[in-house]
Amino acid sequence: MKENMVVDNNKKDKKTVALTGDRPTGPLHLGHYVGSLANRLVLQESYTQYVMIADVQALTDYYENPEKVRENVLQVACDYLAVGIDPLKTTIFIQSCIPQIAELTVFYLNLVTVNRLKRNPTVKNEIVQRGYKENLTAGFLCYPVSQAADITFIKAQVIPVGEDQLPMIEQTNEIVRSFNRIYGAEVFVEAEALVAKIARLPGTDGSAKMGKSLGNAIFLSDPTDVVVKKVMSMYTDPLHLKVADPGKVEGNTVFMYLDIFDKNQEEVSQLKEHYRRGGLGDVVLKKRLIEVLEQFLTPLREKRTLLMNDKEQVMRILKDGTQKTEEEAEKTMQEVRSVMKLDYFK
Ligand code: ATP
Ligand code: MG
């Protein structure tokens, strides 16, 4: 993959906490890698990093399907370890096992208006995508508040996320400012989103974002035949009907992926020229993309198979990480309860 890093490693500081998470609504895909995982691999070298499997957030739209969420906790954990998230450098934990996050969420709900929640552009978009109307739940509408608790309970300052998460960080910082002002103490610090240069990988269908729930994702765990099928049916230029026709490069998903994943950008430039001129078929391009993706995915798949065969080890890593996180969470909550005058029995 091309250089996609935005972390300034000169600012190395083990005291700075980085946090991100993923919803266990499916295994992780190329969009996660580009938008967030690649950054986390660098961050773990220089910061104190926590990575959260956001099962509570997954339940906001999968509450009727708890088995799916449960199964995907393991899938997501295996994806982390397969891409190189190192449990010795990064603490991985499960959101629902940290009750302090839920407690903090309840306190934060008083600091946000319903109107503000309805204005969050990412949530607005997701409400449309999921077809929610009168059946929109309070849990879904309020998930950015829970996310503010996720970020702040551990006092995270650096959040390596995709572009869709910027409104969440903005909302988190509003809550941080309100909390500190109302309770008269600098308990929390504002967080900074660390957005990758390629902030959003489009879906294989050409839509703006690859998403696990959108049916347009290439998963890190997809076997070769599935990758081949997905790439072969990828969106290109709908007006490029015959090989001889001139084709459009802009908005052509195959080229967008080649731009990101192909190490030989000189050849990609030549292919673009040829495609624009006409005489270059989609199949040639797609075959090249398959090869490029296979090179990237093969070692991940191998590591992942080993991990899936040792689920106990993976669960042990999650348990240790969760225990460690809970201790930190309790420290923050003691401060919170104290400034909120809730420390009755100290
Ligand atoms: P869902 O469809 O269930 O919401 P998702 O694919 O959006 O799943 P999340 O777990 O919501 O995945 O997102 C986890 C992280 O990955 C976030 O930081 C998000 O910004 C990033 N991310 C997800 N999809 C992409 C993408 N297509 N491009 C870049 N970053 C992405
Ligand atoms: Mg999402």
Side-chain angles (χ1 to χ4, degrees):
M1 212 179 82
K2 260 181 11 186
E3 181 56 54
N4 190 27
M5 203 46 232
V6 287
V7 177
D8 180 1
N9 256 339
N10 293 324
K11 279 207 262 168
K12 276 188 186 185
D13 180 4
K14 273 282 175 201
K15 273 192 235 114
T16 306
V17 175
L19 172 126
T20 35
D22 305 276
R23 294 149 35 91
T25 51
L28 300 184
H29 52 66
L30 291 175
H32 291 113
Y33 192 87
V34 170
S36 183
L37 290 169
N39 273 341
R40 295 182 214 176
L41 294 181
V42 183
L43 281 172
Q44 72 179 354
E45 300 302 329
S46 18
Y47 293 76
T48 294
Q49 177 164 253
Y50 289 83
V51 169
M52 176 181 78
I53 305 186
D55 58 344
V56 176
Q57 193 183 121
L59 287 169
T60 60
D61 51 342
Y62 286 89
Y63 58 91
E64 288 174 311
N65 210 343
E67 300 81 20
K68 183 181 161 112
V69 173
R70 168 125 192 178
E71 275 161 36
N72 281 308
V73 168
L74 188 75
Q75 297 292 337
V76 169
C78 287
D79 284 328
Y80 288 158
L81 300 170
V83 298
I85 301 272
D86 178 349
L88 295 175
K89 297 175 182 165
T90 296
T91 307
I92 308 174
F93 69 96
I94 303 179
Q95 186 185 22
S96 64
C97 301
I98 311 292
Q100 291 86 348
I101 297 177
E103 184 184 356
L104 197 53
T105 302
V106 172
F107 299 152
Y108 284 172
L109 280 169
N110 298 324
L111 309 182
V112 186
T113 64
V114 174
N115 274 340
R116 173 68 182 90
L117 286 166
K118 285 186 178 159
R119 278 204 313 271
N120 184 311
T122 298
V123 176
K124 253 179 158 169
N125 209 347
E126 289 173 340
I127 288 172
V128 175
Q129 266 169 10
R130 288 162 174 74
Y132 293 154
K133 292 199 169 73
E134 291 306 306
N135 57 346
L136 170 67
T137 63
F140 193 84
L141 185 67
C142 297
Y143 90 72
V145 181
S146 161
Q147 221 170 303
D150 301 335
I151 292 171
T152 52
F153 88 94
I154 201 79
K155 301 194 177 180
Q157 280 166 278
V158 179
I159 322 290
V161 281
E163 203 176 37
D164 59 311
Q165 294 300 307
L166 290 178
M168 310 304 176
I169 313 291
E170 202 182 300
Q171 211 164 353
T172 298
N173 287 339
E174 286 171 25
I175 292 174
V176 164
R177 288 193 291 270
S178 297
F179 186 96
N180 288 347
R181 179 174 46 79
I182 294 169
Y183 300 109
E186 294 297 306
V187 175
F188 295 114
V189 287
E190 293 192 31
E192 189 190 337
L194 193 71
V195 179
K197 281 185 204 145
I198 303 145
R200 184 168 55 188
L201 186 71
T204 51
D205 55 356
S207 69
K209 178 181 171 291
M210 178 179 282
K212 15 178 161 67
S213 315
L214 304 174
N216 63 6
I218 294 177
F219 295 102
L220 300 175
S221 49
D222 276 344
T224 306
D225 58 322
V226 175
V227 173
V228 170
K229 228 167 99 194
K230 286 181 179 172
V231 172
M232 288 320 260
S233 61
M234 243 162 123
Y235 182 87
T236 54
D237 170 6
L239 299 176
H240 183 241
L241 298 172
K242 291 193 222 93
V243 173
D245 290 341
K248 244 180 101 176
V249 167
E250 291 69 30
N252 187 320
T253 320
V254 178
F255 275 114
M256 287 189 216
Y257 282 40
L258 286 174
D259 277 344
I260 296 170
F261 293 101
D262 200 318
K263 288 199 186 103
N264 194 335
Q265 286 296 312
E266 221 167 276
E267 273 180 36
V268 172
S269 296
Q270 285 162 8
L271 287 169
K272 282 182 183 169
E273 248 172 68
H274 192 174
Y275 195 78
R276 285 196 180 103
R277 259 196 334 264
L280 180 60
D282 284 349
V283 174
V284 176
L285 287 179
K286 287 179 171 175
K287 286 202 166 140
R288 182 182 179 109
L289 179 58
I290 290 168
E291 216 173 283
V292 165
L293 291 181
E294 280 295 292
Q295 250 181 39
F296 173 65
L297 292 173
T298 305
L300 302 192
R301 254 185 231 130
E302 284 165 6
K303 249 180 113 178
R304 203 176 191 283
T305 308
L306 293 177
L307 290 159
M308 285 302 279
N309 286 334
D310 192 359
K311 293 185 182 125
E312 273 167 32
Q313 188 212 344
V314 179
M315 288 314 287
R316 227 178 6 255
I317 290 170
L318 294 183
K319 194 174 172 192
D320 289 350
T322 302
Q323 247 161 24
K324 184 177 156 204
T325 307
E326 218 227 331
E327 285 162 25
E328 291 303 314
E330 195 43 36
K331 283 187 208 157
T332 304
M333 286 317 291
Q334 280 174 12
E335 273 183 75
V336 168
R337 292 181 206 119
S338 159
V339 301
M340 290 185 73
K341 316 281 181 226
L342 300 167
D343 52 346
Y344 301 106
F345 308 116
K346 62 179 171 192

